[in-house]
Amino acid sequence: MFALVLAASLAAAPAPRAATASATVVHIPRLDAIQGVTAFLDRAGQHAALLRPIVWYAELHPWLSLDPSQPEALAGLGIDPSGPVTVSLRANGRISCTRLKDPKLFQDKAAGVLVSGSGKTEVKPTTSGGVTTVSIPRESGGHAGYALKGQEVCAFATTGGGFVDDGQGAAMVKEASRLVGKAPKPDARLGQLPGSVYVLLPGRGMVVGMEGSATELRLEGTATQLPLPPFQTTGTSPYGTMKSEGMLFSRARVAPAGVEQAVGSVRALVQQACPACPPAEVSSVARAVSERLTGNVLVMVDSVRSRPNLRTREGRFFAPRQAVAAEVTDAAAMKTALAPVAKFPGVKPLEDGYALDVKGGTLFVRLKGKQLVMGNDEAVAQSLLGAVPQTGAKLPHAVDFTVDPKRLANGLNQVSLMDVVSDQQLAGLFTVGLELGPLLARSERISGWLDSTGGGHRFSTLWTLPAAP
């Protein structure tokens, strides 16, 4: 029975013609079935030029202009509008494999395009073992061409070489010929994910399926190398009935084997914020705390402070107003575990914990009943501590999260050009704010979930736009 189920699964799974040694692979099982994703990108692209369909259409082929929304134009190039396309990005160039409706028409169109970019007067195909190949030097450097067998063609363009043949053209011809030489094997990972477009990152063990509509874009995927702890798939969370608030709201049930890893990441942040705190004592407290946690965790980032000083380490630490809550197994034992904090430099005892004054701000550690809360903003920490309900509830996934895109856009806007000049590490955030900020400000909601699997993690993200433009 298992064999029959496996066979049926593989039969339904997409089969990308993916090149070896690819950094990224994009696979579209049917060019005429991506209207949903295109509809979302078309609307999102009105506020974020990077997401406009015309921008990523240009990446579908190394030297032809493909527009999946225009089936007549595809057919005019000899390409089957209902066929698949697989784009493989490699260090030495790009390969795009498509199915042809009219191979002769494709060859004629390809000849014109390849000649125009090469300075040559004609294209001379060669045929061996039933595979027809073309490779021609480009005026801009490198080589371009294709390998064709029957109705399958893989076109390529190399990225380097200049005007000197560095052998990459021949390597691409060999790889393209291999890809069209036999039918590709179905990829069971793709068959397990919903999607009309798939993105594979082989080096990271990640596969993502994309589906969409005019108001929603869903990404669902699997990964084997995410730097995350294992999570529990069953159990009750004390935060199960809480409503999402703030810029980021996330609940998680960390598995016992992953609690120390999760606490370790918090310990590193504390040590960074308080370099004067004795490392051995900080590590000792972190170990004692991790031994007294159930694994139920809640993270809340309320917002980003107005005009934070992002040019200093402490300024970046205190820029997001945030707090973390964790359920403890024994309140009295946790109070004992936290006692060494009283000896840290700059600490002030509180009725329910400690306030640690450090450069740039204050860290708060509070214990109320079975809730341990740590934050870098007193109001956020107090609010979170007071919002935990008396009874919990089961969650459908090990981790869930909600992002308020409007608050996120406002937070990204706090990164200025002068911040980037002073610290190049902020360039990524500045670029995201510049490119996606206007779209985020007009978005309704971003939410998602994550579960642990036998070989890694499975995750999903849903980006929602308002019903009315």
Side-chain angles (χ1 to χ4, degrees):
M1 177 62 72
F2 175 76
L4 290 176
V5 172
L6 179 61
S9 174
L10 288 175
R17 293 182 185 271
T20 57
S22 296
T24 304
V25 175
V26 177
H27 179 65
I28 302 175
R30 290 183 61 107
L31 281 166
D32 61 356
I34 62 172
Q35 297 92 338
V37 172
T38 301
F40 181 90
L41 294 178
D42 187 54
R43 186 173 168 196
Q46 297 175 23
H47 308 292
L50 187 64
L51 296 182
R52 291 172 184 168
I54 192 172
V55 173
W56 62 274
Y57 283 166
E59 303 299 322
L60 293 179
H61 201 278
W63 37 265
L64 282 179
S65 178
L66 304 188
D67 186 347
S69 68
Q70 301 293 328
E72 298 84 0
L74 293 175
L77 296 171
I79 295 174
D80 185 353
S82 64
V85 59
T86 304
V87 183
S88 301
L89 304 179
R90 309 204 319 173
N92 64 340
R94 181 167 32 143
I95 301 179
S96 178
C97 298
T98 54
R99 181 169 300 153
L100 301 178
K101 188 174 185 179
D102 188 334
K104 180 62 170 61
L105 178 58
F106 171 82
Q107 287 186 284
D108 292 342
K109 295 292 185 179
V113 173
L114 292 173
V115 165
S116 66
S118 68
K120 302 289 184 179
T121 58
E122 62 177 333
V123 170
K124 296 181 179 179
T126 60
T127 301
S128 176
V131 178
T132 298
T133 60
V134 167
S135 181
I136 190 168
R138 297 187 297 175
E139 289 184 321
S140 58
H143 283 68
Y146 62 84
L148 183 153
K149 183 177 182 181
Q151 290 184 293
E152 305 297 334
V153 64
C154 291
F156 66 84
T158 63
T159 55
F163 298 101
V164 178
D165 188 355
D166 59 356
Q168 294 304 316
M172 281 292 208
V173 168
K174 182 178 180 180
E175 179 64 10
S177 298
R178 183 190 69 81
L179 290 173
V180 299
K182 59 181 180 180
K185 295 180 179 180
D187 191 327
R189 298 173 301 171
L190 276 62
Q192 298 170 1
L193 298 171
S196 57
V197 179
Y198 296 92
V199 178
L200 300 86
L201 302 175
R204 302 180 183 179
M206 184 178 294
V207 180
V208 180
M210 301 172 58
E211 272 292 5
S213 67
T215 57
E216 292 183 344
L217 179 68
R218 182 181 297 277
L219 310 178
E220 188 164 336
T222 59
T224 59
Q225 299 179 35
L226 291 179
L228 296 173
F231 296 97
Q232 303 180 63
T233 57
T234 60
T236 299
S237 168
Y239 319 114
T241 61
M242 291 181 65
K243 294 182 179 180
S244 62
E245 294 182 1
M247 186 175 76
L248 170 66
F249 180 92
S250 179
R251 298 171 289 199
R253 296 194 307 274
V254 182
V259 170
E260 186 174 353
Q261 178 185 346
V263 173
S265 62
V266 176
R267 177 202 60 77
L269 291 175
V270 171
Q271 192 70 72
Q272 179 183 5
C274 183
C277 294
E281 290 296 326
V282 174
S283 296
S284 177
V285 171
R287 284 194 299 271
V289 167
S290 63
E291 292 170 358
R292 293 161 175 80
L293 296 179
T294 66
N296 287 306
V297 180
L298 171 65
V299 178
M300 186 174 77
V301 181
D302 179 78
S303 57
V304 174
R305 301 178 193 277
S306 179
R307 302 181 66 82
N309 182 8
L310 299 176
R311 304 170 199 177
T312 64
R313 183 174 59 183
E314 58 272 12
R316 292 190 292 272
F317 179 85
F318 283 99
R321 301 173 62 240
Q322 59 188 324
V324 178
E327 184 184 36
V328 307
T329 56
D330 186 312
M334 180 60 75
K335 186 175 181 180
T336 300
L338 292 171
V341 175
K343 299 180 180 179
F344 286 6
V347 72
K348 296 178 182 177
L350 302 174
E351 183 179 352
D352 56 358
Y354 304 94
L356 182 61
D357 289 333
V358 297
K359 186 177 181 179
T362 303
L363 289 175
F364 297 90
V365 180
R366 299 181 181 276
L367 180 64
K368 179 180 179 182
K370 287 194 172 184
Q371 295 301 319
L372 175 65
V373 173
M374 182 175 187
N376 65 358
D377 183 279
E378 184 173 16
V380 175
Q382 287 279 36
S383 174
L384 181 55
L385 195 60
V388 179
Q390 294 297 317
T391 58
K394 290 185 177 180
L395 297 174
H397 297 284
V399 181
D400 65 12
F401 69 88
T402 303
V403 175
D404 183 331
K406 295 178 177 61
R407 291 198 187 193
L408 177 58
N410 184 65
L412 292 171
N413 284 340
Q414 304 305 316
V415 184
S416 70
L417 181 58
M418 293 308 298
D419 291 329
V420 175
V421 172
S422 301
D423 189 338
Q424 288 298 312
Q425 293 181 353
L426 296 171
L429 290 176
F430 180 77
T431 301
V432 172
L434 194 64
E435 292 287 346
L436 298 182
L439 173 61
L440 289 168
R442 293 170 174 82
S443 297
E444 192 73 26
R445 177 186 175 95
I446 299 174
S447 59
W449 53 262
L450 180 145
D451 285 321
S452 288
T453 62
H457 298 88
R458 181 163 181 150
F459 55 89
S460 177
T461 300
L462 180 64
W463 189 333
T464 306
L465 302 178

